Amino acid sequence: MSDARSSESGFPIQGVYTAADLPADLDARLGEPGEFPYTRGVYPTMYTSRPWTMRQYAGFGTATESNARYHQLLRAGTMGLSVAFDLPTQMGYDSDDPIAHGEVGKVGVAIDSIEDMRTLFGGIPLDKVSTSMTINAPGSVLLLLYQLVAEENGVPGAALNGTIQNDILKECIARGTYIFPPKPSLRLVADTFAYCRAEVPKWNTISISGYHMAEAGASPAQEVAFTLANGVEYVRAALAAGLAVDDFAPRLSFFFVARTTLLEEVAKFRAARRIWARLMRDEFGAKNPKSMMLRFHTQTAGVQLTAQQPEVNLVRVAVQGLGAVLGGTQSLHTNSFDEAIALPTEKAARLALRTQQVLAYETDLTATVDPFAGSYVVEAMTAEVEAAATELMDRVFDYGSAVDAIEAGFQKREIEQSAYRIAQEIDSGERVVVGLNRFQIDEEEPYEPLRVDPAIEAAQGERLARLRAERDSGAVERALAELRAAAEGDTNVLYPMKEALRARATVGEVCGTLREVWGIYRPSDRF
């Protein structure tokens, strides 16, 4: 980096910290574990009573292939599944739609209908596992398919545990898999909050994500600020829809990255909890302590993995995972060492899980809560990240709201400037990336990545053709008409959406119906 004493967020790192660097009101900023402001963790005992949930992000090709990988991960000891969907599914298109050509099954599993979802979770006890689904614009559609499959297997909604990402604002800032304009998108989020409170009460209805902004180049302070500002927008949308804050806020969850800069990452997680707790109590009047708890999932930083000397990524992932655990995450996904090259092989995915298991069972990390509490450097850094993130949030709200700031391009512009600075530092060699710009080797060892069979697209098309030939087309048309009426009005769209999916309407047909009513979002559109 251009300044070896500068943090990722831009504040100076001192060579030595003393008690003089601690905030004067440290005791108030800390509190006790499991108590406001939750700096030391959201639960009193944290990992001393049970470790974090170990998730592995998987999904590729067909539902059959992904199901086999899930069973392998469960046998290896993973405690939660995390589903990757292909781009057509993420964008609400069926595999036989012309726009899906060449992308079916590439970056995740293709899910077109309830039949694919049955196959994806075949033989998996849905009342015993926690499932996270990385899906945003059609998040409610995939959740309902999951619930329908669970009900077919005798598992009621009240017994389901998991998360849908469902974070549309982050898509507009950093990722791009949006469908509908922001206003109906926020309505869909609020409808999902209300539906899950009544029907799937233990489900986390949104995972407000900083991860993808960090992968796009956001600094730790930017990641916290823009994520929590989006969280404020979702809270306001739910309140505007008539929900009481303590009715939905306990089911909000967040999603952050873990970088190799371990000390600042630990500080980042602690600062984020503190900021959110105060926002929920002081701005939104939350009374339930669970409404103030920032619970989050962490994934190690894919953007920091290298295709050069990929085995070195095992070390990076271990350091990143360590930072997430020391920072108090509720669940963790550790990337496979080969993800910079292709979809992970079975062995690589198992090694990634073993990394977490070593942290949980071979170290003393789980023996005590918040081991860095009182550390001169970590407490000082926590205060620095908190101040920087709060200042950035104020700049967001100067536009009026997170949505107004997105429309003005503020968050995207800030992230791009950060990403450009990082790229310059790597190119110049000021920022060392082992194996990339220093400590290179003359010849890379051969590596055989996992390949996705291009025949998958044709097979999915054949499945869809059979589905449409065998189902009751009249029932599907009537169910989609009910969905259209709900979307045109103000009733909760998830109830008719569920019935359409039960009648074997496809993901593309459901999303297409909503497109007809709500339109599609283009970045040039005003919010």
Side-chain angles (χ1 to χ4, degrees):
M1 290 177 280
S2 58
D3 182 355
R5 296 177 180 269
S6 179
S7 74
E8 295 286 296
S9 295
F11 57 81
I13 299 177
Q14 299 170 202
V16 176
Y17 285 82
T18 70
D21 297 301
L22 297 175
D25 58 345
L26 180 61
D27 287 345
R29 292 185 186 224
L30 274 177
E32 295 297 324
E35 295 181 10
F36 186 91
Y38 305 103
T39 306
R40 302 199 61 194
V42 292
Y43 303 122
T45 58
M46 289 301 290
Y47 312 135
T48 62
S49 56
R50 63 180 295 271
W52 59 94
T53 299
M54 299 178 196
R55 296 191 186 279
Q56 287 307 111
Y57 186 50
F60 59 94
T62 66
T64 300
E65 291 174 298
S66 295
N67 176 262
R69 174 63 62 85
Y70 295 156
H71 281 282
Q72 291 162 0
L73 289 169
L74 290 170
R75 286 194 297 270
T78 192
M79 299 147 62
L81 300 174
S82 188
V83 185
F85 297 95
D86 71 356
L87 278 176
T89 305
Q90 292 181 49
M91 300 294 290
Y93 291 105
D94 290 332
S95 295
D96 60 355
D97 192 296
I99 203 170
H101 180 62
E103 292 294 340
V104 176
K106 283 285 180 69
V107 299
V109 62
I111 298 295
D112 291 318
S113 72
I114 191 171
E115 294 188 355
D116 288 328
M117 191 65 92
R118 287 180 190 130
T119 303
L120 183 64
F121 289 102
I124 295 174
L126 298 186
D127 55 343
K128 300 293 195 300
V129 300
S130 171
T131 301
S132 175
M133 293 190 277
T134 305
I135 194 79
N136 292 282
S140 55
V141 182
L142 276 297
L143 169 61
L144 292 172
L145 287 173
Y146 187 85
Q147 184 190 9
L148 284 165
V149 169
E151 289 174 350
E152 290 175 351
N153 288 278
V155 178
L160 296 177
N161 283 282
T163 305
I164 45 173
Q165 197 161 98
N166 201 27
D167 178 1
I168 199 62
L169 297 180
K170 164 265 302 176
E171 295 297 316
C172 297
I173 293 172
R175 193 160 175 271
T177 61
Y178 38 70
I179 300 177
F180 317 113
K183 186 174 181 181
S185 293
L186 288 172
R187 173 196 167 174
L188 189 54
V189 169
D191 279 1
T192 304
F193 289 175
Y195 177 87
C196 286
R197 179 174 178 265
E199 308 294 339
V200 198
K202 292 192 287 186
W203 198 266
N204 296 313
T205 49
I206 193 168
S207 178
I208 306 164
S209 176
Y211 181 88
H212 303 93
M213 290 186 274
E215 292 283 280
S219 71
Q222 289 174 336
E223 179 190 0
V224 170
F226 299 154
T227 303
L228 299 191
N230 286 350
V232 167
E233 192 73 18
Y234 292 123
V235 171
R236 289 174 176 169
L239 294 174
L243 301 177
V245 65
D246 287 323
D247 285 345
F248 66 86
R251 301 317 307 171
L252 301 179
S253 68
F254 291 79
F255 177 22
F256 293 112
V257 79
R259 301 170 181 82
T260 52
T261 45
L262 186 147
L263 294 177
E264 188 177 4
E265 291 300 284
V266 173
K268 176 193 77 179
F269 295 129
R270 300 169 90 249
R273 279 194 293 269
R274 197 149 74 203
I275 296 170
W276 186 249
R278 288 180 172 144
L279 272 171
M280 294 305 292
R281 184 192 68 178
D282 299 342
E283 182 168 340
F284 295 110
K287 304 297 184 187
N288 185 345
K290 291 183 178 179
S291 299
M292 307 174 207
M293 294 178 184
L294 184 141
R295 297 170 302 110
F296 61 91
H297 169 69
T298 307
Q299 182 173 337
T300 55
V303 73
Q304 292 186 322
L305 303 185
T306 62
Q308 297 81 8
Q309 301 180 47
E311 294 84 359
V312 178
N313 293 329
L314 287 165
V315 182
R316 293 187 178 102
V317 169
V319 172
Q320 294 162 355
L322 178 62
V325 172
L326 289 169
T329 192
Q330 276 58 73
S331 67
L332 176 62
H333 163 79
T334 36
N335 289 326
S336 300
F337 75 91
D338 53 357
E339 287 187 35
I341 303 170
L343 288 167
T345 62
E346 179 184 346
K347 181 179 182 180
R350 186 171 61 247
L351 281 170
L353 175 60
R354 293 289 183 254
T355 302
Q356 294 201 51
Q357 291 167 334
V358 168
L359 292 176
Y361 300 111
E362 292 192 21
T363 74
D364 54 5
L365 288 173
T366 60
T368 188
V369 175
D370 190 23
F372 273 156
S375 158
Y376 296 152
V377 60
V378 169
E379 296 298 359
M381 280 190 169
T382 301
E384 291 271 19
V385 174
E386 180 181 14
T390 300
E391 188 271 335
L392 270 172
M393 291 179 73
D394 288 342
R395 291 175 65 191
V396 169
F397 296 137
D398 283 345
Y399 285 89
S401 69
V403 167
D404 294 321
I406 291 169
E407 209 290 319
F410 172 68
Q411 298 96 320
K412 190 172 187 292
R413 188 165 55 248
E414 292 289 308
I415 291 170
E416 286 173 349
Q417 290 172 357
S418 176
Y420 181 63
R421 173 180 57 83
I422 292 168
Q424 284 184 310
E425 291 171 357
I426 292 172
D427 289 346
S428 70
E430 294 176 90
R431 178 183 292 259
V432 175
V433 180
V434 174
L436 178 65
N437 62 7
R438 196 182 294 184
F439 313 113
Q440 301 100 320
I441 56 178
D442 293 334
E443 186 175 341
E444 294 285 342
E445 296 178 8
Y447 175 79
E448 185 59 38
L450 180 69
R451 306 287 185 188
V452 174
D453 187 349
I456 287 170
E457 184 173 330
Q460 282 297 111
E462 291 170 4
R463 283 172 62 85
L464 280 164
R466 285 196 302 271
L467 171 80
R468 294 187 180 112
E470 295 169 358
R471 69 188 183 183
D472 183 340
S473 58
V476 172
E477 290 173 7
R478 289 190 295 273
L480 290 175
E482 291 291 328
L483 174 61
R484 181 179 290 104
E488 289 169 343
D490 57 6
T491 58
N492 193 310
V493 297
L494 269 73
Y495 290 94
M497 187 187 293
K498 183 181 180 183
E499 294 312 307
L501 293 167
R502 191 197 306 275
R504 299 202 287 176
T506 67
V507 171
E509 289 165 344
V510 167
C511 291
T513 299
L514 296 179
R515 278 190 190 92
E516 292 171 7
V517 179
W518 292 341
I520 59 175
Y521 170 63
R522 295 178 178 84
S524 59
D525 292 348
R526 287 200 60 83
F527 281 68

